[in-house]
C-alpha cells in the first residue's frame, strides 16, 4: 500500500469514527504535555489573515470543573472529562499583526516590503470593521480550530464533545473574561467510558447545489 493511500485511510478512519462522546472515564488523566501536543496540532488551522484569534483556557482542575457543571447546565461530561478546553476568540486579534508578520519575515517567508504592506492593510481593514464583523471572524476561526482540535484528539485515541450548552454570562464571570474575547465553545476531552451515539446526516444532494442555489426559499 502506498503511503498516500495509508494516510488517506487513516484520515478517513479518524473523521468517520469521531462522535460526540458524553460519558468519560473520570479517573483518566491527560498530561499537560499531551494537551499541549494536541493544541499545537490544532493551531495549524487556517485563520482570517492568519491572525489566529483563538485563545484557550484548559480547565483540568477538578474543583473548577465542579464549578463549571451548573454553568454547563449539569452536563456530566463537564466534570468527568479529563479536561474542558474553552475556546475563545479575540475580537481584536489584529492588534497582534506586527508580531505575526515580523515572525514570517524573520523566517524568510516574506520580504520586509511585503510585511509592511500586509501589516498596514490588515491593521487598517480590521480596525475599521464593525464589532459584529470582527466577532463573526473570531467565531468562524474559532469553529475551525475547534474542529481541528477534536480531530487531533481522535487521532490520539481520545474523544471529545463540543458544547454550546452553557451559560456564557456565568462562564465569562467565573473566568473573568474581558468583553474583547468571545466564548466560542467548550470542548470536553477525555477517555470514553461509553461510545457516542451514532447520528445521521442529511443526504448530500439536499445540502449541495452545483453552479446555482437550489435550496429552499
Ligand atoms: C457548536 C456545537 C455545540 C454543541 N453543544 C452540545 C452540548 O452542549 N451538549 C452536547 O451533548 N452536545 C453538543 N453538541 C454535539 C452535537 O449534538 C453533535 O455534534 C451532533 O449531534 C452530531 O453528532 P456527532 O458529533 O456525534 O457526529 C454540540 C455541537 C456543536 C457543533
Amino acid at each position: 500500500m502506498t503511503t498516500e493511500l495509508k494516510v488517506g485511510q487513516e484520515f478517513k478512519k479518524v473523521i468517520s469514527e469521531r462522535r460526540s462522546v458524553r460519558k468519560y472515564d473520570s479517573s483518566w488523566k491527560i498530561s499537560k504535555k499531551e494537551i499541549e501536543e494536541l493544541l499545537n496540532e490544532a493551531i495549524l488551522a487556517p485563520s482570517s489573515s492568519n491572525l489566529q484569534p483563538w485563545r484557550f483556557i484548559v480547565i483540568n482542575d477538578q474543583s473548577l470543573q465542579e464549578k463549571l457543571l451548573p454553568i454547563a447546565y449539569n452536563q456530566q461530561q463537564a466534570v468527568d472529562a479529563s479536561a474542558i478546553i474553552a475556546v475563545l476568540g479575540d475580537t481584536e486579534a489584529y492588534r497582534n499583526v506586527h508580531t505575526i508578520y515580523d515572525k514570517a519575515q524573520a523566517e524568510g517567508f516574506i520580504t520586509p516590503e511585503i510585511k509592511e504592506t500586509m501589516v498596514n492593510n490588515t491593521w487598517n481593514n480590521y480596525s475599521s470593521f464593525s464589532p459584529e464583523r470582527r466577532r463573526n471572524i473570531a467565531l468562524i476561526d474559532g469553529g475551525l480550530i475547534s474542529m481541528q482540535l477534536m480531530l487531533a484528539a481522535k487521532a490520539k485515541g481520545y474523544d471529545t464533545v463540543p458544547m454550546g450548552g452553557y451559560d456564557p454570562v456565568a462562564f465569562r464571570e467565573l473566568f473573568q473574561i474581558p468583553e474583547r474575547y468571545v466564548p466560542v465553545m467548550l470542548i470536553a476531552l477525555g477517555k470514553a467510558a461509553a461510545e457516542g451515539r451514532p447520528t445521521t446526516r442529511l443526504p448530500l444532494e439536499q445540502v449541495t447545489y452545483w453552479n446555482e442555489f437550489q435550496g429552499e426559499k
Side-chain angles (χ1 to χ4, degrees), residues 18-20 22 75 77 161-165 185 197 199 201:
R18 182 214 57 81
R19 299 237 181 296
S20 286
R22 298 172 178 91
Q75 298 192 66
Q77 64 264 22
V161 57
M163 296 163 66
M185 68 182 80
R197 29 174 209 271
T199 53
R201 294 296 183 267

Side-chain angles (χ1 to χ4, degrees), residues 101-162:
Y101 286 99
D102 278 353
K103 195 170 172 202
Q105 187 197 325
E107 299 276 350
F109 299 155
I110 49 171
T111 63
E113 294 73 32
I114 290 182
K115 183 196 83 178
E116 202 58 26
T117 310
M118 299 285 276
V119 165
N120 289 337
N121 289 350
T122 307
W123 185 280
N124 293 338
N125 283 337
Y126 284 74
S127 60
S128 70
F129 287 165
S130 68
E132 190 197 0
R133 187 162 176 190
R134 289 207 303 259
R135 188 171 183 275
N136 286 343
I137 293 170
L139 289 172
I140 290 168
D141 292 348
L144 293 175
I145 195 88
S146 298
M147 188 71 253
Q148 186 133 317
L149 177 59
M150 291 187 280
L151 293 180
K154 187 68 192 168
K156 286 193 192 305
Y158 291 119
D159 282 287
T160 55
V161 57

Side-chain angles (χ1 to χ4, degrees), residues 61-72 78-79 170 174-175:
D61 173 323
Q62 193 59 37
S63 64
L64 270 177
Q65 286 182 242
E66 301 282 349
K67 283 190 185 159
L68 202 54
L69 184 63
I71 294 173
V79 277
L174 178 62
F175 291 96

